[in-house]
Amino acid sequence: MNRRPTLEDVAARAGVSRALVSIVIRDAPGAGVQTRARVLAAADELGYRPDARARMLGRSRTRLVGVSFGVAHAFHGDLVDGLYVAARDAGYELALSAATARRGEAEALAGLEQDRCEGLVLLGPQLPTARLVAAAQHLPVVVVARAVRSRAIDVVRTDDAAGLHLTVDHLTGLGHRRIAHVDGGSAPGAADRRRGYAEAMARHGLTAHTCVVPGGLTEDDGAAAADALLALPRRPTAVAAFNDRCATGLLDRFRRARVDVPGEVSVVGFDDSRLARLSHVDLTTVAQDGDGLAALALGRVIARLDGAPVDRREVVLPPRLVVRGTTAQARLDSLD
């Protein structure tokens, strides 16, 4: 045959199951003497040669995938939930390792590397690329929600810039012109969201109204950004926040300052986390496909483990806008 013989070919020739062929090839217990001889003869006739890497993995398979995540990220909780569903459907288990205020990402990753994980899914890591590549020398590594410039790393992420285009399009459609962006600093995706905001503002002819305020990942960051915006001589009529937690901090501070949302200022988040969907928050936000990202990430780990061909190193999913109660038509007296 022209193609390389497989375990299935050997099983068909010997008249046994693929699992039984695997047992014989791995020299594992579970096959009788005659069956073992028949399988080895079929393999010899077909010219089957086991892949050394596959045999090595086969001897140590744990069907365990390590996942690192940040407890400060509400959306990471949604991704972990999706990963559990995907792992269950694929017959895998997850080992979780959290980055917290007193346990950094480096420690979280090191903990997973010490476990018997077959592959790693890293949610929004901020570790240097060199550290991620080092981990990928030993295990398949898939990074979610961050672009990584290395062919050693697989990436599954949302088009962050497109999310801000959707936000600005929505707000300009409501008549807003003075639209500010509270950014995410050095967080994964923040640079692309800043770029998307600037591009969209320029596309609508609003470059003169561009206003980027330092922000971050948390409610405290959003509250600090709200204070900065309230101190401006001319406030924006709409704000695009880096994420839902930051947007929630904005909402709280605006309401404490008796600024009507959305009557005086509209607010848009990013992620569509469970926080945004709470009835008392009711946040307009850019939704990421958490289940889709999770399924693709786990599927990529499994594909690497199985030696399956992979077309693209990076998979980018489109976002969508979810309109709720924190955005409204700009007031006529606020327009230029």
Side-chain angles (χ1 to χ4, degrees), residues 238-261:
V239 183
F242 172 71
N243 66 7
D244 292 342
R245 288 189 65 187
C246 181
T248 303
L250 283 162
L251 292 175
D252 180 67
R253 189 57 56 90
F254 283 152
R255 286 166 177 165
R256 289 176 184 270
R258 300 187 183 281
V259 175
D260 181 41
V261 178

Side-chain angles (χ1 to χ4, degrees), residues 21-35:
V21 172
S22 178
I23 287 173
V24 173
I25 295 299
R26 290 185 289 112
D27 198 27
V33 175
Q34 292 182 344
T35 299

Side-chain angles (χ1 to χ4, degrees), residues 268-290:
V268 181
F270 201 113
D271 288 339
D272 194 29
S273 61
R274 294 178 184 180
L275 178 63
R277 301 193 290 268
L278 294 173
S279 60
H280 68 281
V281 177
D282 197 31
L283 179 67
T284 294
T285 185
V286 175
Q288 302 194 66
D289 182 0

